[in-house]
Amino acid sequence: MAVNNYKNIFINITPQERPNKKKFCWFRKNNIKYIDYKDPDFLLRFVNEQGKMYPRRITGTSLKYQRQLSTAIKRARHIALLPYVSDSLK
């Protein structure tokens, strides 16, 4: 019978060992009031390689700006500034 020396880092981690990276809303920090759908270079920051929007838990945006961002991305897709699906977007 072999002894398992594996330490589960997800269960046995203390709060001091966790990274303290606080997510913040980029739009609130830079005092952005309106997200322009006609700027595809800016909107590409919030879209992955397949053309999907990043969720709030990844980007850290607040709910208000995430809704505006999704509307802007959908509008940009509709007028063909952003692709719906792509193999290599960036």
Side-chain angles (χ1 to χ4, degrees):
M1 189 163 156
V3 177
N4 189 0
N5 291 332
Y6 175 72
K7 181 181 176 185
N8 191 347
I9 61 169
F10 300 110
I11 294 174
N12 298 328
I13 192 168
T14 63
Q16 291 80 19
E17 295 173 348
R18 288 188 191 118
N20 287 336
K21 185 166 183 187
K22 178 87 169 127
K23 291 182 184 167
F24 61 92
C25 182
W26 186 86
F27 299 103
R28 284 191 179 174
K29 183 179 179 184
N30 293 322
N31 202 12
I32 303 292
K33 299 294 182 198
Y34 176 72
I35 301 173
D36 192 15
Y37 66 93
K38 294 172 286 212
D39 188 9
D41 296 329
F42 174 72
L43 294 176
L44 280 177
R45 295 178 53 198
F46 302 97
V47 175
N48 68 4
E49 291 82 19
Q50 289 87 25
K52 296 180 180 180
M53 290 182 274
Y54 283 124
R56 287 180 57 210
R57 60 185 165 81
I58 302 294
T59 60
T61 58
S62 62
L63 180 62
K64 174 183 173 181
Y65 290 105
Q66 182 70 21
R67 286 179 181 154
Q68 290 181 10
L69 185 65
S70 66
T71 304
I73 290 173
K74 289 173 187 177
R75 286 179 181 170
R77 285 175 178 165
H78 185 71
I79 62 173
L81 293 176
L82 287 177
Y84 282 97
V85 178
S86 177
D87 291 332
S88 61
L89 192 59
K90 294 181 181 178

